[in-house]
Amino acid sequence: MGYLGEIELEPSFQPFAALREQFGMVPHVFRAQTLLPGMIEVEVKLLSAILFYEGALSRLQKEFLMLMLASAQRNEVWVAIHFQMLRLLAVPESRLDQIMAGFQEANLSSANAALITFALKLGINGESVLKEDVTGPVAQGLTEESMLEAILITALANFLATLSIGLGVSPDFAPRQFPRVEVIRIQAPGQLTGPFLLASGHSPDDFAPFGWLREQFGFVPDVFRSQMLRPDVVESEVEFMRTVLTGPVKQCIFRGERPPLPSVEDGALLDFVAKLAEQPAAFGREDIESMRSQRFSDEQILEAVATAALSRFLRTVECGVGVAPDFPLRRNFRSFEPKKVHLSGSDNRHTATTLLVDPDAEWVARVQGGDLNAFEELMNRHSQRVYRTLIGLLGNAEDARDAMQDTFLKAFQHLDGFEGRAKFSTWMVSIASNTAIQRLRERKPVESLDDDFESEEGFRPRQVQAWTDDPEQLYSQTEMRSLIESSVMKLPAKYRVVLMLRDIDQLPVEDAAAALSLSLPAFKARLLRGRLMLREALAPHFAARSGSGAKGVSTHD
Amino acid sequence: MISCADFMSEIGNYLEGDVADEVRAQLEHHLSHCRSCTVLLDSTRKTLTIVTDTGSFELPETTFRPIAERIMSRIRGGEK
């Protein structure tokens, strides 16, 4: 039926029962995901919270919005479903055709016409949404809850459209001719001055989904905070994320960073997700086949499709509520093609995109405006990274803790001069690195941080025994951590700090290089050297051994 | 034909997925008959996985909190 494999599920599979109850059948889009029943389950929860739930908007209104969106996107699968649904809700076919042909002339109530206008703009051309697109209808009597539900329905429509394209399913009902809803495309992007909606007074601290987000991303992205009029929806979104975003690669996709260890396969995965989410019209069966030829399983491809759908969903909500994107896929698109970056100064790479996505910008502005407490938040966000920079350069925990105070006080004193040309995190790391370098200079003997070219070439690996298949099973997490920490500490400072920022703190290469004032090639050369030296140090502990009883520290050396 | 030294000089780019197709083909051809480079690549990959997954060098909250409080009291004391 679709591109991917399917299996037969128990007739009692609850999510299918829920879909049958709502749609009168189980749409192909969901049947095409039976390889991962858990994912269907969380998708149905998302549908329940957004579409099936009768809140500020009625089911009828929601179905209308989704029909119009599907038609504007020429998505036959979803036009067929919503058309059928509206027929079941007793709307005559002729009335549906009339509205699709031109809703402005169809004598809709002004509220319904305003909702459709808004949803089409957001769904088709989300980046152009302006504050007045959201506040205008509210001023004319629509509630904030209605607007939020319209945003969510639009996001859901984009989510479902992405699934249907990625899975390659055929329409559930005979294709019919339908007029195309026309949307005027505006080139000028709206400038985000959101959030456009007031969130309710729900206290974020005791809200469990926020805890998970904080754990994953280090902060609660604005897109979730701004939906707190409907905590139940946020809950189902987070549940979906927990199910879909499992591997580190996928989390990187969402954080807009390159994976810590981008293999060829990770690159293919990123490009696949970005293409489906951002250029769905160009997507087709050959993209699936190309993933299969790289030995991705159908389950993995299905997860990648769901990741793209999730990305579309969140992006739509971000545009609708007017918050800067925390999950920019675009930065990753084509990031795996060989590229030559010229990195002389640190300014030329910091484009407007970088500015837009700096998650700290708001807090920096608050401190600059005199809110001292906001500085504490900035410290909380960056304490780990600053600490790792310091310990990376200084080589012991005590000095690193000691230098933290200097670092943050310096940052505070100079914050007025911070103009956002670099990301705040990069700026912070560069202050930490300067603080540490200053301390190193006061030490005797001084450890060189410069490149000495004689030794760069001469590195030869000595440990060439094969490693055990699953090194992480060999030691407990605590043992592993102390093994890594002691091995890293033995590296020379210039390799240690690079490894610390890139591999342990997982800063993007470009940001880490800029923070240390290194050219990209120099940074990469040190990184490789540091990784190879670390490999050398770890090798005796992970050598594959024949026979059983592989546990314990190797007697090598 | 490429040597083990050639492989070594490209291993970083190869790990980052940052090599042209024909270079990649050459490297993979080399891998197909060179055991020590295969081991080197595999163990470097595993090193990276271990290092990234372990969450080392974490500053415990209990250590950071007093530091943060000291900084905040200096700031509030009108240091700006």
Side-chain angles (χ1 to χ4, degrees):
Chain A
M1 193 159 48
Y3 297 145
L4 301 177
E6 289 165 32
I7 54 168
E8 198 64 41
L9 294 177
E10 296 279 309
S12 59
F13 182 57
Q14 214 287 322
F16 277 3
L19 289 169
R20 236 175 253 119
E21 193 182 310
Q22 292 292 335
F23 291 115
M25 46 113 199
V26 178
H28 290 161
V29 171
F30 300 100
R31 291 191 188 277
Q33 300 180 65
T34 43
L35 287 177
L36 296 173
M39 209 160 74
I40 303 176
E41 199 175 325
V42 285
E43 279 168 12
V44 170
K45 281 190 185 163
L46 197 61
L47 279 168
S48 306
I50 297 174
L51 175 61
F52 306 155
Y53 172 91
E54 294 260 348
L57 300 183
S58 69
R59 177 73 184 269
L60 188 70
Q61 284 174 306
K62 292 177 180 177
E63 289 288 341
F64 259 119
L65 292 179
M66 292 185 87
L67 176 69
M68 299 301 279
L69 284 159
S71 152
Q73 293 170 335
R74 311 294 298 159
N75 189 307
E76 290 181 356
V77 173
W78 287 101
V79 167
I81 292 178
H82 297 302
F83 196 91
Q84 184 72 12
M85 274 311 295
L86 285 160
R87 295 277 297 110
L88 289 174
L89 292 166
V91 182
E93 219 165 286
S94 56
R95 177 68 176 150
L96 289 173
D97 283 334
Q98 184 195 9
I99 293 172
M100 283 164 82
F103 71 93
Q104 282 101 340
E105 291 84 45
N107 292 322
L108 292 168
S109 74
S110 66
N112 284 338
L115 284 171
I116 292 176
T117 308
F118 172 71
L120 289 175
K121 183 169 182 182
L122 175 60
I124 310 300
N125 199 8
E127 320 255 325
S128 71
V129 167
L130 300 168
K131 185 167 188 161
E132 48 267 34
D133 290 321
V134 182
T135 53
V138 173
Q140 286 163 32
L142 273 164
T143 60
E144 292 222 329
E145 284 82 355
S146 311
M147 292 310 289
L148 179 59
E149 285 185 17
I151 292 168
L152 289 170
I153 275 293
T154 309
L156 185 67
N158 282 343
F159 175 86
L160 296 172
T162 308
L163 284 182
S164 66
I165 294 165
L167 298 170
V169 293
S170 52
D172 297 88
F173 303 100
R176 56 190 305 287
Q177 290 294 316
F178 59 89
R180 177 179 193 152
V181 172
E182 293 299 335
V183 181
I184 302 159
R185 282 183 170 270
I186 305 156
Q187 285 307 313
Q191 65 277 58
L192 302 163
T193 47
F196 300 151
L197 296 170
L198 301 168
S200 76
H202 202 289
S203 164
D205 288 330
D206 57 10
F207 188 52
F210 280 5
W212 183 82
L213 290 165
R214 233 178 252 124
E215 222 171 83
Q216 297 299 311
F217 302 105
F219 62 102
V220 179
D222 289 337
V223 65
F224 299 103
R225 290 190 188 278
S226 57
Q227 298 175 65
M228 286 306 281
L229 280 173
R230 287 290 306 279
D232 58 317
V233 173
V234 176
E235 220 163 292
S236 59
E237 289 166 0
V238 168
E239 201 178 341
F240 187 78
M241 291 174 82
R242 293 179 79 133
T243 309
V244 177
L245 297 184
T246 48
V249 174
K250 266 173 283 175
Q251 298 211 357
C252 284
I253 292 177
F254 269 80
R255 285 196 298 215
E257 291 172 7
R258 286 177 64 146
L261 170 58
S263 62
V264 179
E265 292 76 25
D266 298 341
L269 185 64
L270 273 175
D271 287 346
F272 176 90
V273 172
K275 183 172 181 185
L276 176 55
E278 306 201 333
Q279 304 183 320
F283 187 90
R285 185 184 285 276
E286 62 282 2
D287 293 297
I288 302 277
E289 293 307 337
S290 131
M291 292 288 277
R292 279 187 179 139
S293 73
Q294 300 184 60
R295 279 176 290 168
F296 280 94
S297 68
D298 275 19
E299 282 89 348
Q300 288 171 319
I301 300 175
L302 177 53
E303 282 186 353
V305 169
T307 304
L310 177 59
S311 163
R312 283 281 284 144
F313 180 95
L314 290 177
R315 189 73 200 98
T316 309
V317 178
E318 280 171 343
C319 290
V321 297
V323 300
D326 278 316
F327 304 115
L329 261 183
R330 198 178 296 277
R331 273 209 290 159
N332 273 318
F333 203 32
R334 279 192 294 278
S335 63
F336 282 83
E337 286 176 8
K339 53 183 175 185
K340 297 278 165 275
V341 181
H342 303 287
L343 227 189
S344 45
S346 57
D347 287 345
N348 46 352
R349 295 163 310 104
H350 295 294
T351 59
T353 335
T354 325
L355 284 185
L356 205 62
V357 298
D358 192 341
D360 298 313
E362 184 194 336
W363 294 94
V364 172
R366 280 198 206 172
V367 181
Q368 288 171 336
D371 175 2
L372 297 187
N373 293 330
F375 191 71
E376 195 161 1
E377 171 69 18
L378 286 173
M379 281 203 295
N380 293 342
R381 289 179 177 208
H382 297 282
S383 60
Q384 289 299 345
R385 190 159 279 174
V386 163
Y387 176 69
R388 284 172 172 155
T389 311
L390 294 170
I391 197 171
L393 281 161
L394 295 169
N396 77 70
E398 200 181 324
D399 287 357
R401 286 196 297 266
D402 205 40
M404 283 194 84
Q405 179 161 335
D406 278 4
T407 303
F408 280 120
L409 284 175
K410 258 190 236 173
F412 181 74
Q413 282 155 4
H414 293 104
L415 200 62
D416 279 341
F418 175 76
E419 292 167 345
R421 281 200 291 182
K423 272 194 275 184
F424 179 75
S425 58
T426 309
W427 187 75
M428 207 53 243
V429 170
S430 72
I431 293 184
S433 135
N434 288 333
T435 308
I437 287 170
Q438 205 175 334
R439 289 186 170 223
L440 282 179
R441 289 211 181 101
E442 291 160 11
R443 267 192 205 167
K444 279 177 199 169
V446 177
E447 188 175 358
S448 168
L449 296 173
D450 298 328
D451 289 318
D452 40 8
F453 289 96
E454 308 88 85
S455 68
E456 291 303 308
E457 285 302 308
F459 186 78
R460 286 278 170 278
R462 276 177 305 226
Q463 303 276 357
V464 287
Q465 283 166 284
W467 281 29
T468 167
D469 279 339
D470 203 351
E472 284 172 288
Q473 295 305 309
L474 225 48
Y475 302 101
S476 76
Q477 227 196 332
T478 324
E479 287 173 318
M480 192 68 114
R481 200 171 293 173
S482 76
L483 181 59
I484 302 279
E485 291 188 357
S486 64
S487 311
V488 170
M489 287 305 239
K490 286 181 196 139
L491 301 178
K494 62 181 173 189
Y495 303 120
R496 193 170 55 211
V497 68
V498 161
L499 197 93
M500 194 76 83
L501 288 179
R502 175 65 191 132
D503 291 337
I504 297 178
D505 212 57
Q506 299 178 24
L507 211 60
V509 180
E510 288 80 3
D511 293 358
L516 299 175
S517 305
L518 287 173
S519 72
L520 207 52
F523 182 89
K524 284 186 174 171
R526 286 188 192 190
L527 182 63
L528 174 62
R529 181 67 179 276
R531 286 170 169 178
L532 290 175
M533 288 169 94
L534 184 63
R535 186 203 75 92
E536 206 74 16
L538 294 175
H541 302 277
F542 297 107
R545 261 153 288 172
S546 48
S548 58
K551 229 173 159 66
V553 176
S554 158
T555 52
H556 252 72
D557 267 1
Chain B
M1 279 295 276
I2 61 168
S3 65
C4 294
D6 295 334
F7 186 84
M8 269 290 285
S9 67
E10 283 298 329
I11 187 175
N13 294 331
Y14 183 76
L15 281 168
E16 302 268 350
D18 205 3
V19 288
D21 285 347
E22 60 269 40
V23 179
R24 181 184 309 142
Q26 285 182 325
L27 295 173
E28 280 166 4
H29 176 72
H30 178 78
L31 282 175
S32 70
H33 58 78
C34 177
R35 184 187 160 276
S36 59
C37 285
T38 307
V39 168
L40 181 71
L41 178 72
D42 172 72
S43 53
T44 307
R45 262 205 185 126
K46 283 173 178 160
T47 299
L48 294 193
T49 313
I50 296 169
V51 172
T52 18
D53 283 359
T54 314
S56 357
F57 297 105
E58 253 180 34
L59 179 66
E61 177 66 15
T62 46
T63 313
F64 175 61
R65 203 37 53 204
I67 300 177
E69 275 162 20
R70 266 205 307 281
I71 298 171
M72 287 311 290
S73 78
R74 294 222 10 212
I75 287 174
R76 292 207 178 88
E79 289 281 319
K80 194 157 185 178

